[in-house]
Amino acid sequence: MADADALTLAYLHAHPQEAAQVLDTLPSAQVAALWAELPARATAPCAAAMQPGAAGRALLALDDASAAALLAALPPVAAAPLLRALPAARRAAWLARLPTRQAFALQALLQYPPDAVGALTDTQALSFGPQTTVAQAVAALHEGGQAQDLVLVDGGAHGLLGAVPV
């Protein structure tokens, strides 16, 4: 990997919000060229932080395999707004390339109007009962394989008891 790529990766990892603000101002072809050169897992946080229209246009400039890889690296709640900005035919083609679980979660989110609370629901949030030990929760987090910002403590019939940052 070239030194410039290593620097770009380090910046995207450390400052995804700031990078997103810069990428929002660039032509879609330039953003797509950057995304095509770098691993999808590295560019996903920045893509999630971009304006959905700008990120969607950049996705359209990618080949289908690269676009699907980037969408697969995003949590569904971040990928859904980008997919909403795309033509229906392209959206359907990319959904077909995603893992079944993620495609199902995205299709569920896309059924809601963009301004409905259901469209913003994190379908992959982990929840545990109050009897769950920290060791059990940590094991479940590692087993899930996806980064989580927080886990929910579910009191069953008593409702949500709280949220614990990871």
Side-chain angles (χ1 to χ4, degrees), residues 83 87-97 107:
L83 286 171
R90 203 71 181 268
R91 182 180 333 141
W94 289 343
L95 283 171
R97 289 177 165 258
Q107 288 167 340

Side-chain angles (χ1 to χ4, degrees), residues 29-55:
Q30 282 185 311
V31 177
L34 174 69
W35 287 350
E37 290 179 22
L38 301 172
R41 287 193 159 271
T43 58
C46 183
M50 289 178 66
Q51 293 297 317

Side-chain angles (χ1 to χ4, degrees), residues 11-73:
Y11 183 76
L12 289 175
H13 177 74
H15 306 285
Q17 299 286 341
E18 292 86 349
Q21 290 175 349
V22 172
L23 294 180
D24 279 337
T25 67
L26 296 178
S28 302
Q30 282 185 311
V31 177
L34 174 69
W35 287 350
E37 290 179 22
L38 301 172
R41 287 193 159 271
T43 58
C46 183
M50 289 178 66
Q51 293 297 317
R57 287 187 298 277
L59 276 173
L60 286 171
L62 288 172
D63 64 86
D64 286 346
S66 297
L70 180 55
L71 288 169

